[in-house]
Amino acid sequence: MDKNRVSIDQIALLYLLLIMGGKFLTLPSLLAGDVGHDSWVSVAFSFVWDAVCLCFLLWAIRINDKAHLDISAILDKSVSKPVSKLLLAIFFVVFVLRTNVLLSGCYKMFSVTFDVSTNWIVYVLPIAALAVFAIVKGFNAVARTSQLLFGLILIAVVALFVSPLSEAEFGALLPIGEAGWGNIIWTSYSRSFWFSDYIFVYFVLDGIKIKKHVFAPVLTSFAIGATLSIVLNAVFVALFGYLAPDFDMAMSKIGVFSAASTTNGRWDWLTLSIWLLSVFIKMIVFIFCAYKCIEKIFDKNFVKVNWIAVAFVLLTLALPMFVTTEQLLNTVIKWGIIPFTLVQYVLPLLMPLLTKTALRKTEVKNE
């Protein structure tokens, strides 16, 4: 368990990187296609829901401070083993799908923005190698790497925003709510697959070290990440207007908006490359969590790395070779929104109660 032990400050920094790593690729154009210039409002609603659920999850972490029960133990003792297995299976599907959507987005970024063409297997192999390294070394290695890269990635993201902010016509965002408030709220829910990045915390519950504060560092990181995401969507739509749905690589398009950059070549390749590190970190975290799902579904606490489980998780990365991202979004994710909501938004609200129940049953058993 030591190699998976992380501090609450490390959780906070990693959470901010995960927010920045998953919402600056294809999501802005999808939202623009759904609700036009009100896409930033839809993002704001999504983060409000995330904030509520995050607070409940942090409450559960505080309750679990001394017992250090893992997610499997909490669910087994509170909602029964069959329900626990079902929830863990849903988690596994969520992690696999989100990883593959990110993989597809990065693949297109490399081929279109950086003009790097390769086949899928060669592209995935380095990412798989990093994921295996994380599984072998433990979550603490991921957290420490994120700490080292955090400042650099944050600077790169801010640098990408500077020029577009001065060029954007924010009057294009008015009137607010033109798409209809019902449609905006429904879009927040229907696109919720891209949110709730805190779900990785479930799989390090037994390794979180709490010194003093739990809420302050994580909520601060969340507020920064949410603000950057909302601003990015607002800038993206303000820059491209009705053409926004046609540009699915949002961060890439924002980085080259000014006339000077389009005539003198790409000046933003370095900052884009640094920002992409956050996307790779996010994929590695999700692959790690998918591996932990298998471990807990089969009631195994692997002392050593189980290479059969690793191989199974890595095989799922070949999914985009057979199914396009559009098919994933329009079929699997569309029909899976209800079970996904169960683990993204219902479970966090119940976690304090479930954790207390599990702790009470553990104490009774020990007596």
Side-chain angles (χ1 to χ4, degrees):
M1 190 175 74
D2 290 338
K3 68 179 185 178
N4 291 326
R5 192 170 288 278
V6 290
S7 69
I8 200 69
D9 291 334
Q10 288 175 319
I11 290 290
L13 291 181
L14 184 57
Y15 183 34
L16 176 52
L17 288 183
L18 264 56
I19 292 175
M20 293 190 298
K23 296 174 179 59
F24 298 174
L25 278 167
T26 58
L27 181 61
S29 65
L30 289 172
L31 292 174
D34 291 336
V35 290
H37 66 257
D38 286 317
S39 60
W40 68 276
V41 183
S42 182
V43 172
F45 273 116
S46 295
F47 277 120
V48 168
W49 298 348
D50 272 12
V52 174
C53 293
L54 177 61
C55 287
F56 275 81
L57 183 55
L58 293 174
W59 182 10
I61 291 173
R62 171 62 76 185
I63 295 170
N64 191 43
D65 181 20
K66 294 181 178 170
H68 293 293
L69 296 178
D70 64 20
I71 184 63
S72 182
I74 292 172
L75 294 177
D76 286 352
K77 294 176 185 296
S78 59
V79 296
S80 78
K81 276 198 172 186
V83 176
S84 174
K85 307 287 187 197
L86 176 61
L87 293 174
L88 290 169
I90 295 172
F91 269 123
F92 177 79
V93 174
V94 170
F95 287 127
V96 166
L97 289 178
R98 292 188 70 169
T99 301
N100 278 284
V101 169
L102 288 171
L103 279 170
S104 297
C106 281
Y107 185 76
K108 188 169 184 178
M109 173 76 84
F110 281 119
S111 61
V112 175
T113 304
F114 297 116
D115 197 24
V116 177
S117 297
T118 184
N119 65 62
W120 186 262
I121 295 176
V122 173
Y123 162 66
V124 167
L125 280 177
I127 299 171
L130 288 173
V132 171
F133 179 80
I135 292 171
V136 171
K137 292 298 183 180
F139 198 81
N140 183 262
V142 181
R144 287 182 178 275
T145 302
S146 300
Q147 279 183 298
L148 291 173
L149 296 175
F150 173 78
L152 195 61
I153 294 172
L154 187 61
I155 291 171
V157 170
V158 173
L160 284 165
F161 275 64
V162 172
S163 178
L165 276 173
S166 62
E167 301 285 344
E169 295 289 340
F170 289 104
L173 302 179
L174 301 175
I176 298 175
E178 186 177 34
W181 291 105
N183 190 26
I184 292 170
I185 294 174
W186 170 251
T187 298
S188 294
Y189 175 66
S190 63
R191 298 298 185 182
S192 59
F193 173 76
W194 274 267
F195 292 84
S196 305
D197 291 316
Y198 49 73
I199 57 175
F200 80 94
V201 174
Y202 287 113
F203 296 90
V204 291
L205 278 175
D206 55 331
I208 297 177
K209 295 184 296 184
I210 300 175
K211 292 182 178 179
K212 185 176 181 181
H213 301 290
V214 175
F215 286 81
V218 180
L219 290 179
T220 299
S221 290
F222 170 78
I224 295 171
T227 300
L228 286 173
S229 298
I230 293 169
V231 171
L232 172 97
N233 276 270
V235 169
F236 180 66
V237 177
L239 288 173
F240 297 105
Y242 68 91
L243 295 176
D246 299 324
F247 299 130
D248 54 0
M249 294 291 108
M251 187 64 95
S252 175
K253 295 301 179 183
I254 284 178
V256 295
F257 182 78
S258 65
S261 63
T262 56
T263 56
N264 297 330
R266 301 210 62 152
W267 55 269
D268 62 331
W269 65 270
L270 181 58
T271 47
L272 273 174
S273 300
I274 294 172
W275 163 71
L276 278 172
L277 291 174
S278 67
V279 184
F280 287 120
I281 289 172
K282 186 166 188 171
M283 289 189 286
I284 291 166
V285 168
F286 284 172
I287 293 171
F288 175 89
C289 291
Y291 172 81
K292 298 298 288 185
C293 283
I294 294 178
E295 180 183 76
K296 297 179 186 306
I297 287 171
F298 291 98
D299 291 323
K300 303 289 185 181
N301 287 316
F302 300 132
V303 177
K304 296 182 179 180
V305 175
N306 187 299
W307 294 105
I308 296 176
V310 171
F312 180 74
V313 173
L314 296 183
L315 279 174
T316 64
L317 304 184
L319 189 60
M321 295 176 64
F322 309 99
V323 183
T324 66
T325 303
E326 290 73 20
Q327 289 173 316
L328 281 176
L329 297 178
N330 295 330
T331 54
V332 180
I333 296 172
K334 178 182 178 181
W335 293 105
I337 191 168
I338 293 178
F340 293 170
T341 299
L342 188 62
V343 296
Q344 288 183 235
Y345 295 119
V346 177
L347 184 60
L349 299 179
L350 298 176
M351 276 303 291
L353 176 61
L354 298 181
T355 305
K356 285 183 178 180
T357 301
L359 287 174
R360 186 169 60 251
K361 290 186 177 181
T362 302
E363 292 170 358
V364 171
K365 184 178 179 180
N366 291 337
E367 290 176 358

